[in-house]
Amino acid sequence: MSTQLRPTDVKRLNRQWRRRTEGRLALLVESVTQPYNLGSILRTCATFGVDQLWLTGNSADPDDPKVGKTALGTAAKVPHTRLSTTAEALDAARADGYKVVAVELAKGAVPLHAAPLEPDVCLAVGAEDHGCSPALLAGADAVTYIPQIGRVGSLNVAVATAIALAEARRREWATFDGEADAPVGN
C-alpha cells in the first residue's frame, strides 16, 4: 500500500535530486499576458530549479496578485529580470552562457525528445495566442516542438513550459542509469 510522504521525507528526497543536478536551466518568457499562466510558469520554474527567468514583451508582472495566486510565493525563489525587447533577452541569455531553444510549432522545429537540451540551456516560450515571435524564432539557436497526437493542436503555454523544463531535467537525470532513489521511508 502506498502512502504520501511526510514533509520531511519530501524535503530529503528533493535535496537528494538537487545534489545530483549540475546543469543550469533558464527560461525566456515572451508576451505571456495571462497572470495565471505566468504564476504557473513561475511555480514550475521553482520546482525544476530554473536559475534565471527573463520576461519580455507584454508579459504579466510577477508582482501582480493574480500571478501570486498560482505562483504561491515562488516568484521570490526564481531570479527574474524584465527586458524591453526580445533581442535584449536573447542577448542576456547568451551573455550568461546559455544556448536558447524556443518551444514552438514552427517550420524546422525538431521534436522535444530530439532537441538540443544539454545543460546550460535557456528554453523560450511565447504568447498564449500566437506563440513565439518571428524575432524570437530567428534569434534562437534551435526550435523544438512537443509532439501531440490528440485532436487538439496546441497546449496551454504553462503546460508546454512544464513539459519542456521537465524534459530538460530528465535528460540530465537519465545519466543515473536507474539509480533513482525510491521514496524515502520505504
Side-chain angles (χ1 to χ4, degrees):
M1 181 171 106
S2 181
T3 59
Q4 287 188 329
L5 296 176
R6 297 174 306 181
T8 54
D9 291 334
V10 171
K11 286 179 183 177
R12 187 176 302 117
L13 186 61
N14 290 347
R15 194 169 40 250
Q16 289 170 353
W17 282 102
R18 228 180 354 265
R19 285 184 188 133
R20 294 176 172 176
T21 303
E22 296 175 0
R24 294 185 315 140
L25 184 58
L27 183 67
L28 190 159
V29 173
E30 179 190 56
S31 297
V32 172
T33 60
Q34 297 299 314
Y36 299 117
N37 281 335
L38 184 59
S40 292
I41 288 169
L42 283 164
R43 189 166 177 186
T44 300
C45 287
T47 299
F48 285 112
V50 166
D51 297 291
Q52 178 64 46
L53 170 67
W54 289 281
L55 298 161
T56 190
N58 60 343
S59 290
D61 184 349
D63 295 327
D64 182 322
K66 291 178 183 173
V67 171
K69 190 164 181 100
T70 51
L72 296 175
T74 56
K77 298 178 187 315
V78 179
H80 52 276
T81 305
R82 181 174 295 278
L83 296 166
S84 298
T85 68
T86 296
E88 289 174 344
L90 288 164
D91 289 345
R94 288 205 180 86
D96 275 2
Y98 289 99
K99 180 177 185 175
V100 179
V101 178
V103 180
E104 181 64 65
L105 289 162
K107 287 184 181 178
V110 299
L112 185 61
H113 62 271
L117 301 179
E118 290 74 29
D120 294 351
V121 66
C122 175
L123 295 170
V125 296
E128 292 92 340
D129 294 335
H130 56 273
C132 297
S133 70
L136 178 53
L137 293 174
D141 298 301
V143 181
T144 188
Y145 69 93
I146 299 168
Q148 301 162 51
I149 60 170
R151 297 182 192 266
V152 176
S154 67
L155 291 164
N156 169 277
V157 66
V159 172
T161 301
I163 291 169
L165 290 172
E167 175 63 10
R169 285 297 186 210
R170 186 201 65 78
R171 295 269 186 92
E172 181 178 7
W173 296 333
T175 62
F176 296 157
D177 295 325
E179 68 178 76
D181 291 332
V184 179
N186 283 352

